[in-house]
Amino acid sequence: MSTGIPNNRLRLLERAKRALPALNPALESLLAGIVGLLVGALIMWIGGYDPWKAYVALFRGAYRDMYGFASSLARGTPLILTALTFSICMRAGMFNIGAEGQVYGGALAAVTVGYFALPSGLHIIMGLIFAMLAGAAWSLVPALLKLTRGVHEVISTIMFNWIARFFAFYLVANVLVDPIRAEKTISVPASARLPILVHGTDLSYGLFVSVFFALVIYFLLWHTTAGYELRAAGLNPTAAHYGGIKSKRTMLLSFILGGLGAGLAGATIVMGLPPTYAIYSGLPQLANVGFDGMAVAMVGRNHPIGILIAALFFGGMNAGGRMMQIIAGVPLEMVRVVEGIIVVALAIPELVRLFRFFRNRWRSLRRREPA
Amino acid sequence: MKRILTLLAVVLLGISLVGMIGLGNGKVAVVLDVGGRGDLSFNDMGFKGTDQAAADFGLEMVEVQSATAADYLPNVRNLARSGEYDLILAVGFLLTDAVSAVADEFPDQKFAIIDGFIPDKANVMSILFRENEASALVGALAGMVATHFGYRYVGCVLGIEIPVLYHFEAGYRFGIDWGVKKYNELGLAIGADVGLLYSYTGTFSDIALGKAATEAQLAQGAAAVYNVAGPLGIGDLEAITEYHTAKGTTFGPPYYIGVDANQDYLRNGLHGIASGMKRVDHGCYNAVKSVVEGTFHGGIVSLGLAEGGVSISKLQDLVDFFAFGVAAGAVDEVDFYTTLANWSANRANIPPEIWEAVDELEAGILDGSIVVPTADSVQEMQAVRDQYPLP
Amino acid sequence: MSWSYLWSILLISLHAMVPITLTAVGEIFGETAGLFNIGLEGILLVSAFTGALAAESGGAVIGLLTGMGTGALIGFIFSVINTYWKGNQMITGIGINLFALGFVAFGLIVLGAPGFHAVPAESRLVTIRTPVGSISPIILVALALPFAAHWFLKRTRLGLILKATGESPEAADVAGIRVNLVRLLATTFGGVLAGLAGAYISVAWIGSVTKEISAGRGFISLATVVFSGLNPVLALLGGFIFGFFESLATWIRNLPGSKAVPWQFIAMTPYIVTLLVVAGVIGRVRFPKALGKPYIRE
């Protein structure tokens, strides 16, 4: 090489250059995040609030101290799992919108451990297993419907969300109801609760469960043959089919894995969230966990590592939003607005390219003007 | 130049420091339930009472809404952690567990909770209401009205099935039963049975459900519908108004019975015959006042008819709450006299013997000769239902 | 059970049918052209809000028009992102729903009446009195529109163009049809109808806005679209079925005496029925081949 840069350092540079496109998705998410925050600030300003004060309160509440950080993680824990539900199936080329209903199933199943007694560790494991099985079962039926009758999974999973919702209402009010307090189910007994990780917060060991699941999925999808087949099916369904890979089995696998994750999410809420450890009538703690998970999945670019980061972000928005409400007086629905805009912004592919395009046009326009 | 600037900076700094010290006032926080404000009843009353107290005692008030049930604990805890609040007021039964947990973590922080049963903590004032007493009064009214005008049923649209609502249902049942028996005693007409139509809609926010439930009850012949589901009353009243429009009537049954706040003024007072009032605002106000005056104590505060905590709405209440309605955008200021006139005409439609009977029931409850049942659990509620089946 | 009960159920069903049918017919246009809009729920919610606000200052008709305009705007944004900007339809739709939830709740608080806002009686739409109860004129619109839409889609050249862009955009492109423009117009029109449905809820039916006033009706409309097999007349039927079961469930709960049949199972029925239809147990349903995919010219 005729350049003055030593050989090994050049190689590093080459490597970094090659890695850059891989960062593109992350860059897009970042850009979308900025767009979301800006539009949110605009809306706040129109509404008569102080956006700067609000955002400062938001981010400090979410990340400044251990308490805030733990709260953010706690909020993000179930989101990691429901995001994975969506992403695993997305990677396989399917739209699984059913996380919402699968979470209900998982939560209901987890509550049932209250009906029998076991030593603590075993009790927790039983709860998690019940929840996973319930979630997977609920996810399996739409998958089977697609396989056997060609039912589009978007429709079937939406239907199943609603059926699960009403079925859950029925179970919560009539079957699993707490005999003393009619507005909730029986509580998960102390032996089956996920212990609190950071004292004085609501972060439980459910975090480890979520992260562990995420890592398992990462390993499964990127380092096993079955995982490779799954991702290949998503990238090019026709080729995967003709390549002799069993696309049907792949699809089933993706739905089952997704259902396991969603069921687990229900368990982390019911077994991990103080102070009640039960399901309330109307399902308020479980509502929207599935849908928010989808947003997390998109921001996390459907990759387990990205999802972990995105879940921390969304969880932080949620936890910080509470402080924003107290300190800046901004209603926490603002958080939803920002999230929605971020997601819409992400819907535009290659947002970065669009951004560059506009920037170049602006530059060329300016260059035409006389100096 | 530099010296002047420095002087200016110091002066500004000084002013801001003094300003900050001057802001060292008391602060109170009110934590609301998932339904939030805008219900023209429970939450709005809680806010009103705390707001009034803050204004009267020169305190700063912070309002915190809960987006989901998972927020209860973190919201209460966040407020307690800051250590800035003289009182944290939780409005709603569903916040009980959260307040209980955080109260243990922060024993020096004062809490008050409306409708939450926390009897044994020194730093938690548990404000409970004997809603069954007010519900008995409106139930008696409804029962007598139904019999008088020849209606077969009386209706009730409830929210989520929580023990607090059992108080309402139990009192209402007792009242209807008492009212019908009383009416027969008075000999105003041959006694006919009056049954109760009721349903727990399972929500404190889906107004459409309230409207649909009321329509169903009206179609079966309900003379009055008691709203025990916060904002759903708006839907209930819609249904009643449309029923009247379809029949071409204005005054007369079927009637709307409001809850918590005085809701008689809604729709210019045409159909609201009474409200089972629950003075959450007084409860909140007194809680704040007790902290300011140093008389705060933990434990249960039970407010019923005798303490002015609950009541059946009267003329003065209508006058008082009209401003409340104007502030909430539910009615226009100019309609004050129309509303008053309509309301009075509506009430005049009902024979005075019925009103006297209601007064008699009220006196009986006050002097202890009449005991209104209540229920706090599913078994207790079932027992009351068995005792007053009202088929 | 007397006649008055049945009339009552019928009337409630008709009212409940309107938002679902209107939204479904609009979405049929969009899906026939190839775009799948899951953001209908968001459109319903925001239009209910803006419609109520406008009705207060300008009267009921202005309110309805504003709702339609809002729906058109959101539909337009959705279609631009998903045609010219080659976006992802699912993601856009989900983003719209999230945004709407936050925006309406936020807007209600800014207006000073958090959680709820009533539309005053003068601003409500007139109702037509019949011997058995009052109905809204929009019900008549909702009854007539599906037939008009069906005729349009099946018998006019424009309707054929719509179908072509959904079935095979490449062929349509070759034939000189401006695929993206057609899709844009179709989905924007879908937004208009959804906006009308939303404004109907707040201005003509329930008469107030809460932060969840749409109550999942956008998703129910999607189900109705599936149930209808993209046939607007069947969407009318589907909307009525949903409205009927919804009111039936409420009715059962409010009958005197024992609560024999759990209402939750009745409420579930329309969704199960839709599933059965889609699964081919009751008739088969075919979707346009290019539904859900952005059209990228090679």
Side-chain angles (χ1 to χ4, degrees), chain A residues 123-147:
Chain A
H123 217 177
I124 294 179
I125 295 179
M126 283 317 301
L128 295 175
I129 292 180
F130 280 7
M132 285 198 283
L133 290 177
W138 204 245
S139 178
L140 202 58
V141 184
L144 288 174
L145 281 175
K146 169 131 193 157
L147 276 179

Short mmCIF file of all heavy atoms in Angstrom, two decimals, chain A residues 123-147:
data_model
loop_
_atom_site.label_atom_id
_atom_site.label_comp_id
_atom_site.label_asym_id
_atom_site.label_seq_id
_atom_site.Cartn_x
_atom_site.Cartn_y
_atom_site.Cartn_z
N HIS A 123 -42.70 -24.10 41.86
CA HIS A 123 -43.97 -23.41 41.63
C HIS A 123 -43.82 -22.38 40.52
O HIS A 123 -44.68 -22.25 39.64
CB HIS A 123 -44.43 -22.74 42.93
CG HIS A 123 -45.91 -22.81 43.11
ND1 HIS A 123 -46.54 -22.33 44.24
CD2 HIS A 123 -46.89 -23.27 42.32
CE1 HIS A 123 -47.84 -22.51 44.13
NE2 HIS A 123 -48.07 -23.09 42.97
N ILE A 124 -42.73 -21.64 40.60
CA ILE A 124 -42.50 -20.61 39.58
C ILE A 124 -42.35 -21.25 38.21
O ILE A 124 -42.94 -20.82 37.23
CB ILE A 124 -41.24 -19.78 39.91
CG1 ILE A 124 -41.46 -18.98 41.19
CG2 ILE A 124 -40.89 -18.86 38.75
CD1 ILE A 124 -40.27 -18.16 41.59
N ILE A 125 -41.56 -22.31 38.18
CA ILE A 125 -41.33 -22.98 36.89
C ILE A 125 -42.64 -23.51 36.32
O ILE A 125 -42.90 -23.38 35.12
CB ILE A 125 -40.30 -24.11 37.05
CG1 ILE A 125 -38.96 -23.50 37.43
CG2 ILE A 125 -40.18 -24.90 35.75
CD1 ILE A 125 -37.87 -24.51 37.63
N MET A 126 -43.48 -24.08 37.17
CA MET A 126 -44.77 -24.58 36.69
C MET A 126 -45.58 -23.44 36.09
O MET A 126 -46.18 -23.59 35.03
CB MET A 126 -45.59 -25.18 37.85
CG MET A 126 -45.18 -26.54 38.32
SD MET A 126 -44.79 -27.74 37.04
CE MET A 126 -46.26 -27.85 36.10
N GLY A 127 -45.58 -22.32 36.77
CA GLY A 127 -46.32 -21.17 36.27
C GLY A 127 -45.84 -20.75 34.89
O GLY A 127 -46.63 -20.52 33.98
N LEU A 128 -44.52 -20.69 34.75
CA LEU A 128 -43.97 -20.28 33.47
C LEU A 128 -44.33 -21.29 32.38
O LEU A 128 -44.67 -20.92 31.26
CB LEU A 128 -42.45 -20.12 33.57
CG LEU A 128 -41.96 -19.00 34.48
CD1 LEU A 128 -40.44 -19.03 34.58
CD2 LEU A 128 -42.42 -17.65 33.99
N ILE A 129 -44.23 -22.56 32.74
CA ILE A 129 -44.53 -23.59 31.74
C ILE A 129 -45.99 -23.54 31.32
O ILE A 129 -46.32 -23.56 30.14
CB ILE A 129 -44.19 -25.00 32.30
CG1 ILE A 129 -42.68 -25.12 32.45
CG2 ILE A 129 -44.71 -26.08 31.36
CD1 ILE A 129 -42.23 -26.47 32.99
N PHE A 130 -46.89 -23.44 32.29
CA PHE A 130 -48.32 -23.34 31.97
C PHE A 130 -48.55 -22.17 31.01
O PHE A 130 -49.26 -22.29 30.01
CB PHE A 130 -49.14 -23.08 33.24
CG PHE A 130 -49.40 -24.30 34.07
CD1 PHE A 130 -48.82 -25.51 33.75
CD2 PHE A 130 -50.23 -24.24 35.17
CE1 PHE A 130 -49.04 -26.64 34.52
CE2 PHE A 130 -50.47 -25.36 35.94
CZ PHE A 130 -49.87 -26.55 35.62
N ALA A 131 -47.94 -21.05 31.36
CA ALA A 131 -48.16 -19.84 30.55
C ALA A 131 -47.66 -20.05 29.13
O ALA A 131 -48.33 -19.70 28.17
CB ALA A 131 -47.46 -18.65 31.20
N MET A 132 -46.48 -20.63 29.02
CA MET A 132 -45.92 -20.83 27.68
C MET A 132 -46.79 -21.76 26.86
O MET A 132 -47.08 -21.51 25.69
CB MET A 132 -44.50 -21.40 27.79
CG MET A 132 -43.48 -20.37 28.21
SD MET A 132 -41.80 -20.87 27.84
CE MET A 132 -41.52 -22.04 29.14
N LEU A 133 -47.23 -22.83 27.50
CA LEU A 133 -48.08 -23.78 26.77
C LEU A 133 -49.38 -23.12 26.31
O LEU A 133 -49.81 -23.32 25.18
CB LEU A 133 -48.39 -24.99 27.66
CG LEU A 133 -47.20 -25.91 27.93
CD1 LEU A 133 -47.60 -27.04 28.88
CD2 LEU A 133 -46.67 -26.50 26.62
N ALA A 134 -49.98 -22.34 27.21
CA ALA A 134 -51.23 -21.68 26.84
C ALA A 134 -51.00 -20.73 25.67
O ALA A 134 -51.78 -20.70 24.72
CB ALA A 134 -51.79 -20.92 28.04
N GLY A 135 -49.95 -19.94 25.74
CA GLY A 135 -49.66 -19.01 24.66
C GLY A 135 -49.42 -19.73 23.35
O GLY A 135 -49.93 -19.34 22.31
N ALA A 136 -48.65 -20.80 23.43
CA ALA A 136 -48.35 -21.55 22.21
C ALA A 136 -49.60 -22.19 21.64
O ALA A 136 -49.82 -22.20 20.43
CB ALA A 136 -47.29 -22.62 22.50
N ALA A 137 -50.44 -22.72 22.52
CA ALA A 137 -51.68 -23.34 22.05
C ALA A 137 -52.55 -22.32 21.32
O ALA A 137 -53.11 -22.60 20.27
CB ALA A 137 -52.44 -23.94 23.24
N TRP A 138 -52.63 -21.14 21.91
CA TRP A 138 -53.47 -20.11 21.31
C TRP A 138 -52.91 -19.64 19.99
O TRP A 138 -53.63 -19.20 19.10
CB TRP A 138 -53.61 -18.92 22.28
CG TRP A 138 -54.83 -18.12 22.04
CD1 TRP A 138 -54.90 -16.83 21.63
CD2 TRP A 138 -56.19 -18.56 22.19
NE1 TRP A 138 -56.20 -16.44 21.50
CE2 TRP A 138 -57.02 -17.48 21.84
CE3 TRP A 138 -56.79 -19.76 22.57
CZ2 TRP A 138 -58.40 -17.56 21.87
CZ3 TRP A 138 -58.17 -19.82 22.60
CH2 TRP A 138 -58.95 -18.74 22.24
N SER A 139 -51.61 -19.72 19.86
CA SER A 139 -50.97 -19.30 18.63
C SER A 139 -51.04 -20.39 17.57
O SER A 139 -51.01 -20.12 16.37
CB SER A 139 -49.51 -18.95 18.93
OG SER A 139 -48.83 -18.60 17.80
N LEU A 140 -51.16 -21.62 18.05
CA LEU A 140 -51.11 -22.76 17.13
C LEU A 140 -52.33 -22.81 16.23
O LEU A 140 -52.23 -23.14 15.04
CB LEU A 140 -51.03 -24.04 17.97
CG LEU A 140 -50.47 -25.27 17.28
CD1 LEU A 140 -49.08 -24.97 16.78
CD2 LEU A 140 -50.45 -26.43 18.25
N VAL A 141 -53.49 -22.49 16.79
CA VAL A 141 -54.71 -22.66 16.00
C VAL A 141 -54.72 -21.79 14.73
O VAL A 141 -55.00 -22.31 13.66
CB VAL A 141 -55.96 -22.40 16.86
CG1 VAL A 141 -57.22 -22.66 16.06
CG2 VAL A 141 -55.94 -23.26 18.10
N PRO A 142 -54.41 -20.51 14.84
CA PRO A 142 -54.32 -19.75 13.58
C PRO A 142 -53.30 -20.32 12.61
O PRO A 142 -53.51 -20.31 11.40
CB PRO A 142 -53.88 -18.35 14.05
CG PRO A 142 -54.34 -18.26 15.44
CD PRO A 142 -54.23 -19.65 16.00
N ALA A 143 -52.20 -20.84 13.17
CA ALA A 143 -51.20 -21.42 12.29
C ALA A 143 -51.77 -22.62 11.55
O ALA A 143 -51.60 -22.78 10.34
CB ALA A 143 -49.97 -21.84 13.09
N LEU A 144 -52.47 -23.47 12.29
CA LEU A 144 -53.07 -24.65 11.66
C LEU A 144 -54.12 -24.24 10.63
O LEU A 144 -54.22 -24.83 9.57
CB LEU A 144 -53.71 -25.53 12.74
CG LEU A 144 -52.71 -26.28 13.62
CD1 LEU A 144 -53.42 -27.01 14.74
CD2 LEU A 144 -51.90 -27.26 12.78
N LEU A 145 -54.89 -23.20 10.99
CA LEU A 145 -55.91 -22.73 10.05
C LEU A 145 -55.25 -22.28 8.75
O LEU A 145 -55.79 -22.48 7.67
CB LEU A 145 -56.71 -21.58 10.66
CG LEU A 145 -57.79 -21.99 11.67
CD1 LEU A 145 -58.42 -20.76 12.28
CD2 LEU A 145 -58.84 -22.83 10.99
N LYS A 146 -54.09 -21.66 8.88
CA LYS A 146 -53.41 -21.21 7.68
C LYS A 146 -52.93 -22.40 6.87
O LYS A 146 -53.07 -22.45 5.65
CB LYS A 146 -52.22 -20.32 8.05
CG LYS A 146 -51.31 -20.04 6.88
CD LYS A 146 -51.00 -18.57 6.76
CE LYS A 146 -50.36 -18.30 5.41
NZ LYS A 146 -50.49 -16.96 4.97
N LEU A 147 -52.39 -23.38 7.56
CA LEU A 147 -51.85 -24.54 6.87
C LEU A 147 -52.92 -25.35 6.17
O LEU A 147 -52.77 -25.77 5.03
CB LEU A 147 -51.13 -25.45 7.88
CG LEU A 147 -49.70 -25.07 8.20
CD1 LEU A 147 -49.14 -26.04 9.23
CD2 LEU A 147 -48.86 -25.10 6.94
#
